[in-house]
Amino acid sequence: MEMKKRISLELRNKTPAEVAELVVDNCRSSDGEIEGLTDEFKELEFLSMVNVGLTSLAKLPKLPKLRKLELSDNNISGSLETLAEKCANLTYLNLSGNKIKELSSLEALQNLKNLKSLDLFNCEITTLEDYRESIFELLPQVTYLDGFDAEDNEAPDSEADDDDDDEDGEEGAGQLGDYEEEEEEEDEEGSEGGEVGLSYLMKEDIQDEEDDGDYVEEEEEEEGEGKRRLTFEERSERGMQKMRAKMTMRTTTNPLFGFLKTISEV
């Protein structure tokens, strides 16, 4: 699609004076020049013309409020004087993937007094010896080159995004930790609050075994006094009667045990 037509479509029933951001990436400039962009875009603050086949910025209109300009993946090799003349308030400029080879090609950017960030990724100039030091010396107003300052600190925008992600992660982890602590407290309250847990039933079973032992001792005492020795069947029946009596008592005093017993009978 031709650049002029693309710009017309991007207006979306607005007038040029109402547009603050304009993206026309991957359209085509018929002669390597900017087409369809006029001085009427006086409120434009962000303009992106990535991979549109530009070779020159000579027809760039006056854009007094433009702060960010994306021109990556074009065929621009120089003639950057237009930027200082038409976009005096530019703070961010991306020229990555263009045909810029020499430091002299960037001298025109010295007049962009507000320029803070410059990207030159994949430009031949990046292969020069002492490339970064030379750029920072040539353009002292630039703080970030290819996303990093002279001390190799990353640009604040990226750092802010990372900090936001870390804070979100910590907040989420904190909420999860609080939730787990609440669950633990509830478990402790449940185990301390009443004798309806499984651990209680296990304790009762152990007590039963101890009681059974007492019962055997009673039988032995009776035998020792010369009374009739109980048969195995009689001892078993008496033990079952005693267990059923305890089960009945538990059912009336322990709701959980009664519920489990009902389920087993069903």
Side-chain angles (χ1 to χ4, degrees):
M1 182 183 296
E2 293 182 356
M3 183 183 293
K4 187 174 182 179
K5 183 178 181 180
R6 174 68 178 278
I7 291 176
S8 179
L9 291 174
E10 291 295 333
L11 287 176
R12 305 179 190 279
N13 297 320
K14 295 181 180 180
T15 64
E18 296 175 316
V19 178
E21 296 186 4
L22 182 62
V23 178
V24 293
D25 299 343
N26 302 311
C27 65
R28 275 291 164 258
S29 170
S30 58
D31 57 0
E33 299 280 357
I34 296 174
E35 302 171 328
L37 197 64
T38 67
D39 292 341
E40 295 178 9
F41 288 85
K42 57 186 179 181
E43 298 297 323
L44 199 60
E45 296 180 5
F46 176 83
L47 174 61
S48 182
M49 296 186 290
V50 175
N51 188 33
V52 297
L54 290 179
T55 58
S56 172
L57 299 176
K59 293 185 179 181
L60 182 69
K62 189 174 182 62
L63 303 171
K65 291 190 176 182
L66 192 67
R67 297 177 61 82
K68 294 185 177 182
L69 179 58
E70 291 274 359
L71 294 172
S72 59
D73 299 327
N74 284 289
N75 298 309
I76 300 170
S77 59
S79 302
L80 300 178
E81 297 83 2
T82 304
L83 293 176
E85 297 172 4
K86 305 295 182 65
C87 310
N89 291 313
L90 205 61
T91 60
Y92 172 82
L93 176 61
N94 189 346
L95 291 170
S96 301
N98 279 279
K99 306 298 183 180
I100 299 173
K101 302 178 181 181
E102 304 293 338
L103 284 173
S104 58
S105 301
L106 301 176
E107 290 179 356
L109 301 182
Q110 292 175 328
N111 295 320
L112 286 173
K113 303 301 182 182
N114 296 314
L115 187 64
K116 299 300 180 184
S117 182
L118 174 65
D119 285 346
L120 296 170
F121 286 115
N122 296 325
C123 291
E124 191 173 337
I125 191 174
T126 61
T127 64
L128 297 178
E129 186 177 358
D130 298 327
Y131 152 70
R132 291 181 59 80
E133 292 81 355
S134 299
I135 296 295
F136 283 121
E137 183 178 350
L138 177 68
L139 305 172
Q141 79 274 31
V142 171
T143 303
Y144 298 99
L145 176 62
D146 300 333
F148 292 86
D149 66 12
E151 303 297 329
D152 289 331
N153 297 310
E154 193 172 5
D157 286 345
S158 299
E159 291 177 355
D161 292 340
D162 293 341
D163 290 342
D164 291 341
D165 293 341
D166 293 341
E167 289 174 1
D168 292 341
E170 291 174 359
E171 181 178 355
Q175 292 175 349
L176 180 59
D178 295 340
Y179 178 73
E180 292 176 347
E181 290 177 1
E182 290 177 1
E183 283 189 335
E184 291 177 358
E185 291 176 358
E186 291 175 357
D187 291 342
E188 292 176 358
E189 291 175 358
S191 61
E192 296 173 357
E195 298 178 340
V196 296
L198 293 177
S199 60
Y200 172 73
L201 297 179
M202 293 176 66
K203 292 179 182 178
E204 288 296 307
D205 290 340
I206 295 173
Q207 185 62 42
D208 288 346
E209 294 177 358
E210 295 176 353
D211 292 343
D212 291 343
D214 295 340
Y215 178 69
V216 172
E217 292 177 358
E218 291 175 0
E219 288 183 357
E220 293 176 351
E221 290 176 359
E222 291 177 354
E223 293 173 0
E225 294 173 358
K227 294 184 180 180
R228 183 177 63 85
R229 181 181 179 85
L230 297 176
T231 65
F232 175 77
E233 289 79 6
E234 289 173 333
R235 291 197 303 272
S236 297
E237 179 62 25
R238 183 176 293 185
M240 290 298 294
Q241 290 176 354
K242 186 175 181 181
M243 184 176 295
R244 282 196 291 270
K246 288 186 177 182
M247 292 282 288
T248 302
M249 181 179 65
R250 286 174 179 170
T251 302
T252 57
T253 60
N254 194 322
L256 178 59
F257 192 90
F259 174 74
L260 296 174
K261 182 174 182 294
T262 302
I263 293 299
S264 63
E265 290 176 353
V266 173

